[in-house]
């Protein structure tokens, strides 16, 4: 039997463990002054925007992991002849078990898959958007670096120091936004990949359970 069905809430517990480690990592970065330095040197506020967007999307991953775990629990209850028709999975299981036509069964399974994975598309969009925001920050940083060179009229030490300061500021923005965008996208992608795999396994188990129920009848 699938491990997900034996431990229906395992997915949600895994997400809690992952999010807990993430919060510990952010606390360490804040305690060491890295996040404060990153926000203070980013005049575009893109780093702050990406961090907030990342945390909100992580909470969405937590909701989806809870939702899929609840569907897994409903599948387990249905197999134990204790269905809860208030849960999405139980209703689809009843429909799948009653359908004899393979084409209709496939269509119902596709509808179930769409219900289980539909909201993940928004998460994947935000995952890609973080990379694009990081690239936008990189471009802005380099534009600031190149733009500061237009004000250099001579090789006076004071002007050179001002130029180097402006170029350093642009470089900080470019690097910080790139790092935040890449790391945030990687961590979100990992969570949504885990959710997609869990949803696919649920669909497979639902089809198998309905076939067993139909055979028993």
């Amino acid at each position: 039997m699938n491990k997900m069905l034996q431990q229906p809430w395992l997915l949600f517990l895994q997400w809690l463990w992952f999010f807990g480690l993430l919060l510990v990592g952010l606390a360490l970065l804040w305690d060491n002054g890295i996040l404060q330095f990153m926000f203070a040197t980013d005049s575009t506020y893109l780093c702050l925007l990406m961090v907030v967007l990342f945390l909100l999307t992580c909470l969405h991953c937590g909701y989806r992991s809870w939702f899929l775990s609840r569907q897994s629990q409903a599948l387990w209850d249905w197999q134990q002849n204790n269905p809860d028709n208030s849960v999405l999975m139980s209703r689809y299981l009843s429909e799948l078990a009653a359908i004899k036509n393979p084409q209709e069964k496939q269509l119902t399974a596709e509808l179930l898959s769409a219900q289980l994975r539909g909201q993940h598309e928004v998460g994947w969009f935000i995952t890609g958007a973080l990379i694009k925001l990081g690239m936008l920050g990189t471009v802005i940083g380099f534009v600031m670096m190149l733009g500061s060179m237009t004000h250099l009229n001579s090789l006076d030490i004071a002007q050179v120091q001002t130029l180097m300061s402006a170029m350093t500021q642009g470089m900080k923005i470019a690097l910080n936004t790139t790092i935040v965008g890449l790391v945030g996208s990687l961590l979100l992608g990992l969570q949504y990949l885990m959710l997609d795999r869990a949803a696919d396994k649920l669909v497979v188990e639902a089809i198998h359970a309905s076939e067993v129920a139909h055979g028993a009848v």
Side-chain angles (χ1 to χ4, degrees), residues 196-215:
D196 282 347
R197 287 177 59 86
D200 291 339
K201 289 179 181 179
L202 267 178
V203 174
V204 172
E205 290 296 329
I207 295 174
H208 177 69
S210 65
E211 290 175 350
V212 171
H214 179 71

Side-chain angles (χ1 to χ4, degrees), residues 11-217:
L11 177 66
F12 184 61
L13 293 176
Q14 288 176 339
W15 178 84
L16 285 177
W17 174 82
F18 179 86
F19 191 65
L21 287 180
L22 180 62
L23 291 180
V24 170
L26 289 176
L28 289 175
L29 292 175
W30 184 269
D31 187 60
N32 291 321
I34 297 176
L35 286 179
Q36 295 97 314
F37 174 78
M38 185 178 295
F39 295 150
T41 56
D42 181 19
S43 58
T44 64
Y45 298 103
L46 282 175
C47 286
L48 179 60
L49 173 64
M50 286 188 287
V51 170
V52 172
L53 189 61
F54 169 75
L55 290 176
L56 291 177
T57 312
C58 282
L59 293 178
H60 179 257
C61 291
Y63 166 74
R64 292 303 298 175
S65 64
W66 173 84
F67 173 81
L68 293 176
S69 294
R70 189 174 181 221
Q71 305 310 312
S72 180
Q73 179 67 55
L75 177 55
W76 172 261
D77 292 340
W78 192 85
Q79 289 180 324
Q80 303 301 315
N81 297 320
N82 185 28
D84 183 1
N85 292 326
S86 64
V87 183
L88 175 72
M89 179 62 71
S90 297
R91 297 196 299 269
Y92 272 98
L93 283 168
S94 300
E95 293 180 12
L96 285 170
I99 295 174
K100 299 180 179 179
N101 190 325
Q103 293 182 347
E104 293 183 11
K105 185 181 287 289
Q106 180 180 358
L107 178 60
T108 303
E110 290 177 355
L111 291 174
L112 174 60
S113 178
Q115 289 282 346
L116 294 178
R117 299 183 58 174
Q119 294 189 23
H120 298 176
E121 295 179 0
V122 177
W124 283 114
F125 171 79
I126 295 177
T127 300
L130 286 180
I131 296 181
K132 294 178 175 63
L133 288 173
M135 294 176 62
L136 176 62
T138 303
V139 172
I140 293 175
F142 279 111
V143 168
M144 291 177 62
M145 290 176 58
L146 296 176
S148 62
M149 299 180 65
T150 60
H151 302 290
L152 184 64
N153 299 321
S154 64
L155 294 179
D156 182 74
I157 295 180
Q159 287 195 1
V160 171
Q161 289 178 342
T162 303
L163 172 64
M164 293 301 296
S165 177
M167 293 183 66
T168 301
Q169 178 67 19
M171 181 61 72
K172 289 177 182 178
I173 293 175
L175 294 178
N176 289 337
T177 53
T178 302
I179 291 174
V180 173
L182 289 176
V183 173
S185 177
L186 178 64
L187 294 177
L188 282 182
L190 180 62
Q191 294 179 75
Y192 280 105
L193 178 62
M194 180 176 64
L195 292 174
D196 282 347
R197 287 177 59 86
D200 291 339
K201 289 179 181 179
L202 267 178
V203 174
V204 172
E205 290 296 329
I207 295 174
H208 177 69
S210 65
E211 290 175 350
V212 171
H214 179 71
V217 175

